[in-house]
Amino acid sequence: MSLKILARNLFKTYRDGGRQVPVLGGIDLEVAAGEMVAVVGPSGSGKSTLLHLLGGLDRPDPEPLGEVILGDQSLSQLGDGALAAFRNRTLGFVFQFHQLLPDFTALENVMLPGRIAGHEPAEVHGAARKLLQEVGLEDRLEHFPNELSGGERQRVALCRALALEPPILLADEPTGNLDPSSGEKVLELLEALRRRRGTTVVLVTHNPDVARRCAKLYTLDRGVLHASPP
């Protein structure tokens, strides 16, 4: 299943001591179901903030009113508990720093979303093994994160993000902490999995070569989002 992403008039301001720091200044973004788009921009331009708003990890400023709609669901209509449940079944997140649990094996890390969702242990175990096999880690299932290379850890993180087969994947610099060869492998896996599953992907990156692999490219600069020519 694929879902469309629609963001309208997103503003975000943070407080730094006694002053207001504007980060996003009225973002509009539409991503078609099953599409893969990239957002680029200088450090501090608000790329990660935008991703957090799209994923419901943070909320936009209440004034002026903006909204994020995933499929037919407006995130602003959900309370914190309902938003967490919706996020768990709808969204996968991949971050630059894999954020794997160090005391869990690769297999256990990938099983975690299914266990949290209350799925049957045998079903969760089988699905996690299949995903890890799909990305070439069938011999690393019982290894802990500190026993894996950077590229292997990021592949485990990608599997964890896809464990519940979410229709939307948000990736924040997923290749930014990897050497070029490992980064290329992770990107190829992301593209292949997206094609097979029809996942809608928003990818934040500093790498122009990565951005060019996406169907559309947007530049975020000083809180304003611009569509780049194809």
Side-chain angles (χ1 to χ4, degrees), residues 110-190:
V110 178
M111 289 173 62
L112 191 61
R115 298 299 301 272
I116 292 173
H119 294 180
E120 288 293 328
E123 175 190 346
V124 172
H125 185 274
R129 287 184 65 93
K130 184 177 178 181
L131 269 173
L132 287 165
Q133 289 167 355
E134 194 172 350
V135 301
L137 294 177
E138 59 273 9
D139 295 329
R140 312 291 273 170
L141 302 181
E142 302 302 327
H143 287 69
F144 292 92
N146 66 353
E147 299 174 317
L148 302 173
S149 70
E152 287 172 337
R153 289 194 292 268
Q154 197 65 311
R155 278 184 272 168
V156 174
L158 179 58
C159 290
R160 182 182 59 185
L162 294 169
L164 297 181
E165 299 189 358
I168 295 173
L169 183 70
L170 304 177
D172 193 352
E173 297 282 2
T175 65
N177 199 38
L178 303 176
D179 63 81
S181 176
S182 297
E184 176 65 20
K185 289 178 182 177
V186 168
L187 187 61
E188 287 176 354
L189 287 167
L190 179 57

Side-chain angles (χ1 to χ4, degrees), residues 58-73:
D58 199 357
R59 294 187 184 266
D61 293 345
E63 296 292 338
L65 182 63
E67 66 177 341
V68 174
I69 302 172
L70 305 182
D72 296 324
Q73 177 64 62

Side-chain angles (χ1 to χ4, degrees), residues 14 29 36 49 56 76 78 86 92 117 119 121 147 149 152 157 175 179 201 220-221:
Y14 292 105
L29 175 65
M36 181 172 172
T49 297
S76 63
L78 299 174
F86 178 79
H119 294 180
E147 299 174 317
S149 70
E152 287 172 337
T175 65
D179 63 81
V201 180
L220 185 58
D221 189 20

Side-chain angles (χ1 to χ4, degrees), residues 11-24 44-54 57-62:
F11 285 80
K12 187 63 182 180
T13 304
Y14 292 105
R15 182 177 295 277
D16 181 15
R19 69 188 183 102
Q20 299 283 340
V21 181
V23 179
L24 300 180
S45 61
K47 300 186 302 298
S48 294
T49 297
L50 174 60
L51 217 59
H52 289 175
L53 296 186
L54 295 179
L57 295 175
D58 199 357
R59 294 187 184 266
D61 293 345

